[in-house]
Amino acid sequence: MNDLTIRPLRLDDCARIAEAERAQGWNASPEKYARRLSDAEAGLCVSLVAELDGAPVGYVNLYHAARHGPFAGMGLPEIVDFGVLERCRRHGIGGMLMDAAEALAFLESDIVTLGVGLHAGYGAAQRMYVRRGYVPDGSGVWYMDEPLAPYSDACANDDDLVLYLSKHK
């Protein structure tokens, strides 16, 4: 991983990342990354890319203030939309992206937050967050940006079923 660089997201990354994710069977669009870039340009977040041998292989976004879930409106930084291409996992790339995002977050606050999906597709991220010291906030499971009532059957095991976590400096 000597040729790995962590740098800001650029416009040309949007299509390249989406194409690589689609090639591995993920539902990805360049528009998602273009929205992150637009948010970064507006000063709402910092969007970082891991580049290996000239190609983007991972990304993370640090929003200066959480916009969703139990941390919304508290002014706490939130890590959003973190990913590493499957073929590049288990080489420390995700850890380097998280180190960079957390370092920036801890310049703003003693706490950094995030939400993680609950289905198996998020399993690697779930395990990484626990190993890095993130703990659930105690508000339970959220679905479509609302707390899910106990014993509710009003949800699906999709990307909108989330558990929120935080980490202290």
mmCIF file of all heavy atoms in Angstrom, residues 6 8 20 52 70 72 75 77 93 98 100-101 125 140 157 159 161 168:
data_model
loop_
_atom_site.group_PDB
_atom_site.id
_atom_site.type_symbol
_atom_site.label_atom_id
_atom_site.label_comp_id
_atom_site.label_asym_id
_atom_site.label_seq_id
_atom_site.Cartn_x
_atom_site.Cartn_y
_atom_site.Cartn_z
ATOM 1 N N ILE A 6 -4.489 9.474 0.490
ATOM 2 C CA ILE A 6 -5.797 9.962 0.938
ATOM 3 C C ILE A 6 -5.862 11.419 0.512
ATOM 4 O O ILE A 6 -4.986 12.214 0.854
ATOM 5 C CB ILE A 6 -5.959 9.858 2.469
ATOM 6 C CG1 ILE A 6 -5.674 8.439 2.978
ATOM 7 C CG2 ILE A 6 -7.347 10.348 2.880
ATOM 8 C CD1 ILE A 6 -6.631 7.387 2.518
ATOM 9 N N PRO A 8 -8.724 14.781 -1.160
ATOM 10 C CA PRO A 8 -10.111 15.220 -1.336
ATOM 11 C C PRO A 8 -10.746 14.608 -2.588
ATOM 12 O O PRO A 8 -10.068 14.362 -3.594
ATOM 13 C CB PRO A 8 -10.001 16.737 -1.486
ATOM 14 C CG PRO A 8 -8.698 17.098 -0.846
ATOM 15 C CD PRO A 8 -7.786 15.922 -1.111
ATOM 16 N N ALA A 20 -16.785 1.259 -10.488
ATOM 17 C CA ALA A 20 -16.116 0.170 -9.760
ATOM 18 C C ALA A 20 -17.086 -0.527 -8.806
ATOM 19 O O ALA A 20 -17.036 -1.755 -8.652
ATOM 20 C CB ALA A 20 -14.910 0.719 -9.004
ATOM 21 N N LEU A 52 -5.321 4.393 -5.002
ATOM 22 C CA LEU A 52 -4.264 3.394 -5.100
ATOM 23 C C LEU A 52 -3.898 3.221 -6.563
ATOM 24 O O LEU A 52 -4.772 2.936 -7.389
ATOM 25 C CB LEU A 52 -4.738 2.061 -4.503
ATOM 26 C CG LEU A 52 -3.741 0.922 -4.501
ATOM 27 C CD1 LEU A 52 -2.526 1.256 -3.639
ATOM 28 C CD2 LEU A 52 -4.411 -0.354 -3.993
ATOM 29 N N PRO A 70 -30.130 10.391 16.065
ATOM 30 C CA PRO A 70 -30.193 10.980 17.399
ATOM 31 C C PRO A 70 -29.201 12.118 17.625
ATOM 32 O O PRO A 70 -29.367 12.897 18.571
ATOM 33 C CB PRO A 70 -29.863 9.798 18.319
ATOM 34 C CG PRO A 70 -29.037 8.890 17.476
ATOM 35 C CD PRO A 70 -29.615 9.023 16.091
ATOM 36 N N ALA A 72 -28.553 14.514 15.357
ATOM 37 C CA ALA A 72 -28.920 15.678 14.546
ATOM 38 C C ALA A 72 -29.186 16.878 15.444
ATOM 39 O O ALA A 72 -29.805 16.763 16.503
ATOM 40 C CB ALA A 72 -30.157 15.372 13.706
ATOM 41 N N GLY A 75 -24.628 19.477 16.738
ATOM 42 C CA GLY A 75 -23.364 20.064 16.314
ATOM 43 C C GLY A 75 -22.186 19.107 16.349
ATOM 44 O O GLY A 75 -21.037 19.555 16.306
ATOM 45 N N PRO A 77 -19.751 16.187 14.760
ATOM 46 C CA PRO A 77 -19.369 15.689 13.429
ATOM 47 C C PRO A 77 -19.851 14.255 13.222
ATOM 48 O O PRO A 77 -19.939 13.471 14.174
ATOM 49 C CB PRO A 77 -17.845 15.778 13.426
ATOM 50 C CG PRO A 77 -17.434 15.926 14.839
ATOM 51 C CD PRO A 77 -18.598 16.448 15.606
ATOM 52 N N ILE A 93 -6.762 0.028 4.147
ATOM 53 C CA ILE A 93 -7.262 1.234 3.475
ATOM 54 C C ILE A 93 -8.404 1.866 4.277
ATOM 55 O O ILE A 93 -8.422 3.077 4.497
ATOM 56 C CB ILE A 93 -7.698 0.918 2.034
ATOM 57 C CG1 ILE A 93 -6.476 0.489 1.212
ATOM 58 C CG2 ILE A 93 -8.411 2.115 1.396
ATOM 59 C CD1 ILE A 93 -6.803 -0.076 -0.149
ATOM 60 N N MET A 98 -10.561 6.053 7.922
ATOM 61 C CA MET A 98 -11.171 6.371 9.214
ATOM 62 C C MET A 98 -10.229 7.212 10.072
ATOM 63 O O MET A 98 -10.676 8.148 10.749
ATOM 64 C CB MET A 98 -11.577 5.090 9.943
ATOM 65 C CG MET A 98 -12.774 4.384 9.330
ATOM 66 S SD MET A 98 -14.311 5.342 9.429
ATOM 67 C CE MET A 98 -14.588 5.338 11.201
ATOM 68 N N ALA A 100 -8.076 9.368 9.050
ATOM 69 C CA ALA A 100 -8.118 10.735 8.512
ATOM 70 C C ALA A 100 -9.408 11.441 8.914
ATOM 71 O O ALA A 100 -9.385 12.605 9.346
ATOM 72 C CB ALA A 100 -7.974 10.704 6.990
ATOM 73 N N ALA A 101 -10.546 10.745 8.786
ATOM 74 C CA ALA A 101 -11.833 11.353 9.136
ATOM 75 C C ALA A 101 -11.906 11.661 10.627
ATOM 76 O O ALA A 101 -12.363 12.737 11.029
ATOM 77 C CB ALA A 101 -12.979 10.441 8.716
ATOM 78 N N ALA A 125 -18.018 -3.236 8.164
ATOM 79 C CA ALA A 125 -18.013 -1.910 8.791
ATOM 80 C C ALA A 125 -18.430 -2.013 10.261
ATOM 81 O O ALA A 125 -17.817 -1.375 11.127
ATOM 82 C CB ALA A 125 -18.937 -0.959 8.041
ATOM 83 N N GLY A 140 -31.555 2.866 20.280
ATOM 84 C CA GLY A 140 -32.133 1.737 19.561
ATOM 85 C C GLY A 140 -31.953 1.858 18.063
ATOM 86 O O GLY A 140 -31.156 2.653 17.563
ATOM 87 N N ASN A 157 -35.145 -4.956 6.188
ATOM 88 C CA ASN A 157 -33.711 -5.066 6.441
ATOM 89 C C ASN A 157 -32.964 -4.511 5.228
ATOM 90 O O ASN A 157 -32.336 -5.230 4.471
ATOM 91 C CB ASN A 157 -33.329 -6.520 6.726
ATOM 92 C CG ASN A 157 -31.940 -6.638 7.304
ATOM 93 O OD1 ASN A 157 -31.324 -5.650 7.664
ATOM 94 N ND2 ASN A 157 -31.440 -7.860 7.368
ATOM 95 N N ASP A 159 -30.994 -0.594 3.571
ATOM 96 C CA ASP A 159 -30.002 0.410 3.947
ATOM 97 C C ASP A 159 -30.546 1.472 4.907
ATOM 98 O O ASP A 159 -29.764 2.232 5.481
ATOM 99 C CB ASP A 159 -29.438 1.098 2.705
ATOM 100 C CG ASP A 159 -28.595 0.176 1.854
ATOM 101 O OD1 ASP A 159 -28.195 -0.912 2.333
ATOM 102 O OD2 ASP A 159 -28.316 0.537 0.696
ATOM 103 N N LEU A 161 -32.270 0.803 7.679
ATOM 104 C CA LEU A 161 -32.315 0.248 9.034
ATOM 105 C C LEU A 161 -30.927 0.448 9.641
ATOM 106 O O LEU A 161 -29.952 -0.167 9.208
ATOM 107 C CB LEU A 161 -32.688 -1.226 8.994
ATOM 108 C CG LEU A 161 -32.951 -1.902 10.329
ATOM 109 C CD1 LEU A 161 -34.151 -1.274 11.041
ATOM 110 C CD2 LEU A 161 -33.168 -3.396 10.127
ATOM 111 N N HIS A 168 -15.613 8.681 21.598
ATOM 112 C CA HIS A 168 -15.019 9.824 22.295
ATOM 113 C C HIS A 168 -13.516 9.866 22.030
ATOM 114 O O HIS A 168 -12.887 8.820 21.884
ATOM 115 C CB HIS A 168 -15.299 9.750 23.791
ATOM 116 C CG HIS A 168 -16.738 9.960 24.120
ATOM 117 N ND1 HIS A 168 -17.206 11.141 24.652
ATOM 118 C CD2 HIS A 168 -17.814 9.158 23.974
ATOM 119 C CE1 HIS A 168 -18.511 11.054 24.817
ATOM 120 N NE2 HIS A 168 -18.898 9.864 24.415
#
